[in-house]
């Protein structure tokens, strides 16, 4: 189940608010300029599906976002449980950083924890199957995929370079709870 937990940036041990209702999560995040939606596939998603098949299953929502946000490229990324590089991959995203474009992820399968540092608060958004999050450009954030991740996600990009992170040089990400 999707979940939003909000903390004061100076108090990572006590949540200010916790929500599991997708409509409330979307509303609270929209107040901060962050898009949160839930999508339904137009067909059953199976393990045998290709990237193109997965994209096709969500084509109408993807086209709507591309039109609204000017996204140029769409791809699918997958990580299976037991991946020997999981620890190394996890560390790649566990530092506070920004991007010069929106970070748009839709979870076809599995889950991930987006942690957004907005003003004096940290918004931890547990995204699960069916959830889309769009972190606006230049928003300080970090991502945790867990110690033994398993997910498939659709990514949308504004530029051809794809995912390029710029560190904020803050240690804040080390202070807050991880996915597991």
């Amino acid at each position: 189940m999707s979940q939003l937990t909000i903390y004061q940036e100076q108090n990572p041990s006590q949540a200010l608010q916790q929500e599991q209702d997708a409509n409330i999560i979307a509303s609270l995040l929209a107040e901060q300029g962050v898009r949160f939606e839930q999508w339904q596939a137009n067909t059953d998603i199976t393990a045998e599906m290709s990237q193109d098949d997965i994209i096709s299953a969500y084509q109408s929502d993807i086209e709507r976002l591309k039109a609204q946000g000017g996204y140029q490229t769409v791809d699918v990324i997958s990580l299976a449980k037991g991946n020997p590089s999981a620890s190394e991959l996890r560390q790649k995203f566990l530092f506070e950083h920004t991007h010069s474009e929106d970070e748009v992820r839709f979870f076809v399968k599995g889950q991930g924890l987006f942690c957004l540092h907005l003003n004096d608060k940290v918004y931890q958004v547990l995204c699960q199957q069916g959830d889309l999050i769009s972190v606006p450009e230049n928003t300080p954030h970090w991502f945790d995929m867990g110690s033994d991740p398993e997910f498939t996600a659709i990514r949308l990009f504004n530029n051809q370079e794809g995912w390029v992170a710029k560190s904020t040089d803050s240690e804040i990400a080390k202070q807050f709870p991880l996915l597991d």
Side-chain angles (χ1 to χ4, degrees):
M1 176 174 281
S2 312
Q3 183 171 298
L4 171 64
T5 307
I6 304 173
Y7 298 90
Q8 280 294 136
E9 69 181 353
Q10 299 302 324
N11 191 0
S13 62
Q14 184 175 4
L16 295 172
Q17 186 172 357
Q18 199 165 47
E19 299 292 344
Q20 293 183 330
D21 181 287
N23 292 323
I24 295 172
I25 293 171
S27 178
L28 290 169
L29 291 174
E31 291 172 7
Q32 302 301 316
V34 177
R35 180 190 299 253
F36 180 86
E37 298 177 356
Q38 292 188 317
W39 292 358
Q40 295 294 319
N42 62 20
T43 187
D44 289 336
I45 304 298
T46 66
E48 296 77 31
M49 293 179 91
S50 70
Q51 281 195 27
D52 289 341
D53 293 337
I54 291 170
I55 290 170
S56 179
Y58 297 97
Q59 195 65 48
S60 62
D61 284 313
I62 291 169
E63 290 306 318
R64 176 179 51 84
L65 277 189
K66 286 173 73 176
Q68 291 172 353
Y71 304 110
Q72 299 174 14
T73 60
V74 178
D75 71 8
V76 177
I77 184 170
S78 292
L79 195 59
K81 276 199 172 300
N83 185 307
S85 301
S87 179
E88 179 184 325
L89 290 168
R90 184 183 197 191
Q91 291 304 311
K92 181 179 177 182
F93 306 107
L94 279 178
F95 68 99
E96 187 181 68
H97 60 275
T98 62
H99 304 284
S100 61
E101 67 171 320
D102 300 345
E103 182 166 350
V104 184
R105 300 292 181 270
F106 172 73
F107 285 82
V108 174
K109 174 182 167 186
Q111 66 180 4
L113 182 69
F114 278 87
C115 304
L116 316 174
H117 188 187
L118 304 167
N119 302 313
D120 63 345
K121 293 185 176 64
V122 171
Y123 291 68
Q124 287 194 326
V125 187
L126 177 61
C127 294
Q128 298 194 321
Q129 182 175 335
D131 291 343
L132 172 118
I133 189 167
S134 179
V135 180
E137 66 180 297
N138 300 316
T139 299
H141 68 283
W142 59 96
F143 175 73
D144 185 17
M145 63 179 71
S147 59
D148 191 14
E150 177 180 31
F151 64 86
T152 299
I154 296 173
R155 307 183 300 176
L156 290 91
F157 297 102
N158 287 39
N159 68 53
Q160 303 296 326
E161 295 173 18
W163 193 87
V164 179
K166 180 180 179 198
S167 176
T168 65
D169 295 324
S170 170
E171 296 292 316
I172 193 168
K174 294 179 181 178
Q175 300 169 20
F176 283 85
L178 296 175
L179 189 53
D180 55 14

